[in-house]
Amino acid sequence: MTLASVLGQPRAVDALQAALRSGAVHHAYLFAGPEGVGKELAAVGLAQALTCPEQPDVGCGACASCQRVEKGLHPDVTWVMPDDERVSRGLAGRSDFTGTPSRELRVEQVRQLQERIALRGLESRRKVALIVSAQTMNVQAQNAFLKTLEEPPSDTTLILVASAIDRLLPTIRSRCGKVHFGPLPVDLVARRVAEARELDPETAQLAAVMAGGSLGRAMALDVDALSRRKDIVTAFEALSGENAVGLLRFAEAHGGSREEAERTLELLTLWTRDVALVKADLASGLANRDLAELARQVAARTSDLLLHRRHSLLEAARAAIARNGAPRLQLERMLIDLFTETSR
């Protein structure tokens, strides 16, 4: 794997390759974009290009140095990520931590990084630090990291990988060279998912659309959950502000965990998009094609203003859960706000 092997992000890859060729590599980069669209792969590719002894400023992807970068074992490439992400990747066990592994990047981790990059490189002409899920840095960690950005070591490149850059301090964002990554083409995601997971074309296409152009999400989607989406959408559209018990039961059924609540909100966001497409006479672009008739019924009774409000409330609930909000509580709040307004 090299920078050139990152698929579906030509503008980002071209910009990085141009910087490498010209020798104008920034001391700090902020790779911004949705989850699962190639940001981290590009960060690894850039780290390889900066440390490769065989093809400097390109990265061969095959030498021992490039292989160690890809595996996270290169002595001059430092990885920083939240503890819970280390656990999910199999890099640590829950028994390695006292209590629940943190979802945040903590100030202690930033200070350890600062100590590491202050040392001389062991093998390469340049040191690299990859800060994964940089948006999870708490305020103390961001303030500490800002000092490194203001006075960076001359032989170090910092790469922040973030899916929500608005959660980073403006002073951090302004001191980084920004590289934007957009959603991947749906057809590309569908093709890769079909090959990797041996799915039929229709299921793979639905997975790609539901994942919002994120290959990572599409690969992780529960195929059984795809088959349950019809029941979830139908139950959602049957809710009413006059039946508060029904709202609470829906939240209880789909808010048992952070992952389940996020999947439900993503599905309902995509469903809201489908309804909006029907209202705009663009039904050919529906993700849930088997629910086209229901989408027409909902579109006929739902105003543009209410659809916009529905989308805003869904996004707000997703953002609250991402900030460690209680999943069930956030679902309840979203449903009550939405259907209480609808029934007025």
PDB file of all heavy atoms in Angstrom, residues 94-108:
ATOM      1  N   ARG A  94      -9.023  -4.818  27.344  1.00  0.00           N
ATOM      2  CA  ARG A  94      -9.685  -4.042  28.394  1.00  0.00           C
ATOM      3  C   ARG A  94      -9.005  -4.213  29.746  1.00  0.00           C
ATOM      4  O   ARG A  94      -9.053  -3.335  30.598  1.00  0.00           O
ATOM      5  CB  ARG A  94     -11.167  -4.447  28.485  1.00  0.00           C
ATOM      6  CG  ARG A  94     -11.971  -4.005  27.281  1.00  0.00           C
ATOM      7  CD  ARG A  94     -13.458  -4.218  27.467  1.00  0.00           C
ATOM      8  NE  ARG A  94     -14.194  -3.680  26.328  1.00  0.00           N
ATOM      9  CZ  ARG A  94     -14.567  -2.420  26.194  1.00  0.00           C
ATOM     10  NH1 ARG A  94     -14.281  -1.558  27.156  1.00  0.00           N
ATOM     11  NH2 ARG A  94     -15.226  -2.011  25.135  1.00  0.00           N
ATOM     12  N   SER A  95      -8.359  -5.353  29.912  1.00  0.00           N
ATOM     13  CA  SER A  95      -7.660  -5.605  31.176  1.00  0.00           C
ATOM     14  C   SER A  95      -6.424  -4.718  31.337  1.00  0.00           C
ATOM     15  O   SER A  95      -5.867  -4.622  32.427  1.00  0.00           O
ATOM     16  CB  SER A  95      -7.254  -7.077  31.270  1.00  0.00           C
ATOM     17  OG  SER A  95      -6.407  -7.435  30.199  1.00  0.00           O
ATOM     18  N   ASP A  96      -6.019  -4.066  30.229  1.00  0.00           N
ATOM     19  CA  ASP A  96      -4.851  -3.177  30.301  1.00  0.00           C
ATOM     20  C   ASP A  96      -5.193  -1.830  30.934  1.00  0.00           C
ATOM     21  O   ASP A  96      -4.295  -1.017  31.184  1.00  0.00           O
ATOM     22  CB  ASP A  96      -4.283  -2.924  28.900  1.00  0.00           C
ATOM     23  CG  ASP A  96      -3.739  -4.197  28.272  1.00  0.00           C
ATOM     24  OD1 ASP A  96      -3.259  -5.065  29.029  1.00  0.00           O
ATOM     25  OD2 ASP A  96      -3.792  -4.327  27.037  1.00  0.00           O
ATOM     26  N   PHE A  97      -6.482  -1.586  31.172  1.00  0.00           N
ATOM     27  CA  PHE A  97      -6.900  -0.291  31.677  1.00  0.00           C
ATOM     28  C   PHE A  97      -7.662  -0.447  32.989  1.00  0.00           C
ATOM     29  O   PHE A  97      -8.313  -1.460  33.227  1.00  0.00           O
ATOM     30  CB  PHE A  97      -7.805   0.420  30.661  1.00  0.00           C
ATOM     31  CG  PHE A  97      -7.176   0.565  29.303  1.00  0.00           C
ATOM     32  CD1 PHE A  97      -7.452  -0.342  28.297  1.00  0.00           C
ATOM     33  CD2 PHE A  97      -6.298   1.599  29.041  1.00  0.00           C
ATOM     34  CE1 PHE A  97      -6.881  -0.224  27.048  1.00  0.00           C
ATOM     35  CE2 PHE A  97      -5.715   1.732  27.793  1.00  0.00           C
ATOM     36  CZ  PHE A  97      -6.000   0.816  26.792  1.00  0.00           C
ATOM     37  N   THR A  98      -7.554   0.573  33.804  1.00  0.00           N
ATOM     38  CA  THR A  98      -8.356   0.629  35.025  1.00  0.00           C
ATOM     39  C   THR A  98      -9.669   1.312  34.678  1.00  0.00           C
ATOM     40  O   THR A  98      -9.696   2.481  34.318  1.00  0.00           O
ATOM     41  CB  THR A  98      -7.626   1.426  36.120  1.00  0.00           C
ATOM     42  OG1 THR A  98      -6.366   0.802  36.391  1.00  0.00           O
ATOM     43  CG2 THR A  98      -8.462   1.470  37.387  1.00  0.00           C
ATOM     44  N   GLY A  99     -10.751   0.571  34.776  1.00  0.00           N
ATOM     45  CA  GLY A  99     -12.045   1.124  34.381  1.00  0.00           C
ATOM     46  C   GLY A  99     -12.250   0.995  32.878  1.00  0.00           C
ATOM     47  O   GLY A  99     -11.563   0.251  32.187  1.00  0.00           O
ATOM     48  N   THR A 100     -13.203   1.761  32.358  1.00  0.00           N
ATOM     49  CA  THR A 100     -13.545   1.718  30.938  1.00  0.00           C
ATOM     50  C   THR A 100     -12.517   2.492  30.126  1.00  0.00           C
ATOM     51  O   THR A 100     -12.175   3.620  30.471  1.00  0.00           O
ATOM     52  CB  THR A 100     -14.941   2.339  30.715  1.00  0.00           C
ATOM     53  OG1 THR A 100     -15.896   1.650  31.523  1.00  0.00           O
ATOM     54  CG2 THR A 100     -15.347   2.239  29.253  1.00  0.00           C
ATOM     55  N   PRO A 101     -11.995   1.894  29.035  1.00  0.00           N
ATOM     56  CA  PRO A 101     -11.036   2.625  28.184  1.00  0.00           C
ATOM     57  C   PRO A 101     -11.643   3.931  27.684  1.00  0.00           C
ATOM     58  O   PRO A 101     -12.795   3.974  27.266  1.00  0.00           O
ATOM     59  CB  PRO A 101     -10.789   1.644  27.026  1.00  0.00           C
ATOM     60  CG  PRO A 101     -11.097   0.298  27.592  1.00  0.00           C
ATOM     61  CD  PRO A 101     -12.217   0.521  28.555  1.00  0.00           C
ATOM     62  N   SER A 102     -10.875   4.992  27.733  1.00  0.00           N
ATOM     63  CA  SER A 102     -11.370   6.311  27.381  1.00  0.00           C
ATOM     64  C   SER A 102     -11.654   6.435  25.889  1.00  0.00           C
ATOM     65  O   SER A 102     -10.926   5.898  25.059  1.00  0.00           O
ATOM     66  CB  SER A 102     -10.359   7.383  27.800  1.00  0.00           C
ATOM     67  OG  SER A 102     -10.778   8.662  27.392  1.00  0.00           O
ATOM     68  N   ARG A 103     -12.716   7.172  25.557  1.00  0.00           N
ATOM     69  CA  ARG A 103     -13.014   7.487  24.165  1.00  0.00           C
ATOM     70  C   ARG A 103     -12.343   8.788  23.738  1.00  0.00           C
ATOM     71  O   ARG A 103     -12.457   9.187  22.578  1.00  0.00           O
ATOM     72  CB  ARG A 103     -14.532   7.604  23.967  1.00  0.00           C
ATOM     73  CG  ARG A 103     -15.282   6.292  24.117  1.00  0.00           C
ATOM     74  CD  ARG A 103     -16.776   6.512  23.969  1.00  0.00           C
ATOM     75  NE  ARG A 103     -17.504   5.261  24.056  1.00  0.00           N
ATOM     76  CZ  ARG A 103     -18.820   5.167  24.108  1.00  0.00           C
ATOM     77  NH1 ARG A 103     -19.555   6.268  24.090  1.00  0.00           N
ATOM     78  NH2 ARG A 103     -19.417   3.991  24.175  1.00  0.00           N
ATOM     79  N   GLU A 104     -11.679   9.438  24.653  1.00  0.00           N
ATOM     80  CA  GLU A 104     -11.019  10.709  24.359  1.00  0.00           C
ATOM     81  C   GLU A 104      -9.517  10.518  24.236  1.00  0.00           C
ATOM     82  O   GLU A 104      -8.937   9.594  24.806  1.00  0.00           O
ATOM     83  CB  GLU A 104     -11.289  11.717  25.477  1.00  0.00           C
ATOM     84  CG  GLU A 104     -12.724  12.172  25.612  1.00  0.00           C
ATOM     85  CD  GLU A 104     -12.871  13.229  26.687  1.00  0.00           C
ATOM     86  OE1 GLU A 104     -12.068  13.220  27.650  1.00  0.00           O
ATOM     87  OE2 GLU A 104     -13.768  14.064  26.568  1.00  0.00           O
ATOM     88  N   LEU A 105      -8.898  11.424  23.506  1.00  0.00           N
ATOM     89  CA  LEU A 105      -7.447  11.552  23.551  1.00  0.00           C
ATOM     90  C   LEU A 105      -7.120  12.484  24.706  1.00  0.00           C
ATOM     91  O   LEU A 105      -7.592  13.623  24.750  1.00  0.00           O
ATOM     92  CB  LEU A 105      -6.919  12.129  22.242  1.00  0.00           C
ATOM     93  CG  LEU A 105      -6.812  11.142  21.068  1.00  0.00           C
ATOM     94  CD1 LEU A 105      -6.490  11.876  19.775  1.00  0.00           C
ATOM     95  CD2 LEU A 105      -5.759  10.087  21.352  1.00  0.00           C
ATOM     96  N   ARG A 106      -6.309  11.990  25.640  1.00  0.00           N
ATOM     97  CA  ARG A 106      -6.070  12.702  26.882  1.00  0.00           C
ATOM     98  C   ARG A 106      -4.758  13.481  26.850  1.00  0.00           C
ATOM     99  O   ARG A 106      -3.878  13.203  26.042  1.00  0.00           O
ATOM    100  CB  ARG A 106      -6.072  11.710  28.046  1.00  0.00           C
ATOM    101  CG  ARG A 106      -7.419  11.025  28.255  1.00  0.00           C
ATOM    102  CD  ARG A 106      -7.322   9.840  29.189  1.00  0.00           C
ATOM    103  NE  ARG A 106      -6.681   8.687  28.556  1.00  0.00           N
ATOM    104  CZ  ARG A 106      -5.450   8.293  28.765  1.00  0.00           C
ATOM    105  NH1 ARG A 106      -4.677   8.932  29.627  1.00  0.00           N
ATOM    106  NH2 ARG A 106      -4.959   7.233  28.149  1.00  0.00           N
ATOM    107  N   VAL A 107      -4.641  14.433  27.758  1.00  0.00           N
ATOM    108  CA  VAL A 107      -3.459  15.283  27.790  1.00  0.00           C
ATOM    109  C   VAL A 107      -2.201  14.454  28.041  1.00  0.00           C
ATOM    110  O   VAL A 107      -1.122  14.786  27.546  1.00  0.00           O
ATOM    111  CB  VAL A 107      -3.635  16.403  28.845  1.00  0.00           C
ATOM    112  CG1 VAL A 107      -3.684  15.830  30.263  1.00  0.00           C
ATOM    113  CG2 VAL A 107      -2.532  17.439  28.719  1.00  0.00           C
ATOM    114  N   GLU A 108      -2.331  13.356  28.800  1.00  0.00           N
ATOM    115  CA  GLU A 108      -1.167  12.494  29.049  1.00  0.00           C
ATOM    116  C   GLU A 108      -0.623  11.908  27.754  1.00  0.00           C
ATOM    117  O   GLU A 108       0.591  11.785  27.563  1.00  0.00           O
ATOM    118  CB  GLU A 108      -1.531  11.365  30.011  1.00  0.00           C
ATOM    119  CG  GLU A 108      -1.895  11.817  31.428  1.00  0.00           C
ATOM    120  CD  GLU A 108      -3.348  12.247  31.551  1.00  0.00           C
ATOM    121  OE1 GLU A 108      -4.066  12.209  30.524  1.00  0.00           O
ATOM    122  OE2 GLU A 108      -3.764  12.612  32.669  1.00  0.00           O
TER     123      GLU A 108
END
